Amino acid sequence: MSNNLSRFGVAMPQDLVKKFDKYLTKKGYSNRSEALRDLARRVVLESEQSDLNKVVAGTIVIIYDHHQNNVVSKIMNLQHDYHEEIISTMHIHLTHAECLEVLVVRGKKKRLVDLHEIVEAQKGVTYSELSVTFIDNSEDEE
Ligand code: NI
């Protein structure tokens, strides 16, 4: 085993840890570190492999608690910052507290990844997923 392993503490909601542990058991992992290493390698590899300058189209799905301070206006402001990439939005009031928002997006993958990362980091956002596919190369923007 490598002697230059870094250790760090991870804080997670209890119910997420429970579900994560179930996943680990199902996948045959013997501990959380091993599983987290694999997940980290996968996301790093995915982001390195993808061509961030290509034009893609897809969706960003967001679930957030609208009671959380400022989250509604932050998400609204963000959408205006990215108005060139966001083609359409849909807002569904899922429960008393939770909102589901679907953004239909088109643009350079780099811009969409940036937008997704900012959305994901907002307090009150409990879920966010970017799903895109490359579109016709001939339409690539320079
Ligand atoms: Ni709502």
Side-chain angles (χ1 to χ4, degrees):
M1 178 170 276
S2 160
N3 59 4
N4 55 3
L5 288 173
S6 296
R7 291 185 177 280
F8 59 96
V10 179
M12 277 188 204
Q14 284 179 352
D15 58 335
L16 180 58
V17 173
K18 256 188 212 166
K19 285 175 188 166
F20 190 53
D21 284 345
K22 253 190 201 167
Y23 167 86
L24 303 194
T25 310
K26 208 168 81 183
K27 294 280 178 178
Y29 284 109
S30 55
N31 61 62
R32 291 173 186 156
S33 292
E34 202 184 314
L36 283 173
R37 281 195 291 271
D38 276 0
L39 289 172
R41 281 192 200 101
R42 195 193 306 161
V43 295
V44 168
L45 192 72
E46 272 172 13
S47 91
E48 283 173 356
Q49 281 175 343
S50 55
D51 186 345
L52 292 172
N53 283 317
K54 292 259 184 193
V55 174
V56 296
T59 57
I60 296 176
V61 174
I62 314 165
I63 292 178
Y64 60 88
D65 178 350
H66 77 273
H67 294 138
Q68 184 77 40
N69 241 2
N70 292 332
V71 72
V72 176
S73 67
K74 277 184 178 165
I75 286 187
M76 174 69 75
N77 286 334
L78 261 173
Q79 293 186 27
H80 281 277
D81 290 343
Y82 286 82
H83 70 272
E84 287 180 358
E85 285 82 13
I86 298 170
I87 300 165
S88 178
T89 65
M90 192 195 306
H91 184 111
I92 291 130
H93 310 301
L94 259 194
T95 65
H96 187 68
E98 284 179 311
C99 300
L100 164 67
E101 231 164 71
V102 182
L103 316 181
V104 178
V105 290
R106 178 191 186 281
K108 278 195 179 169
K109 191 171 178 199
K110 166 99 179 72
R111 290 275 296 166
L112 304 179
V113 168
D114 286 348
L115 172 58
H116 173 243
E117 283 176 356
I118 300 168
V119 166
E120 199 169 38
Q122 298 305 313
K123 227 178 180 172
V125 172
T126 53
Y127 175 86
S128 124
E129 187 180 355
L130 168 68
S131 169
V132 291
T133 185
F134 292 110
I135 55 178
D136 191 352
N137 287 341
S138 64
E139 290 183 57
D140 272 11
E141 289 153 14
E142 290 310 317

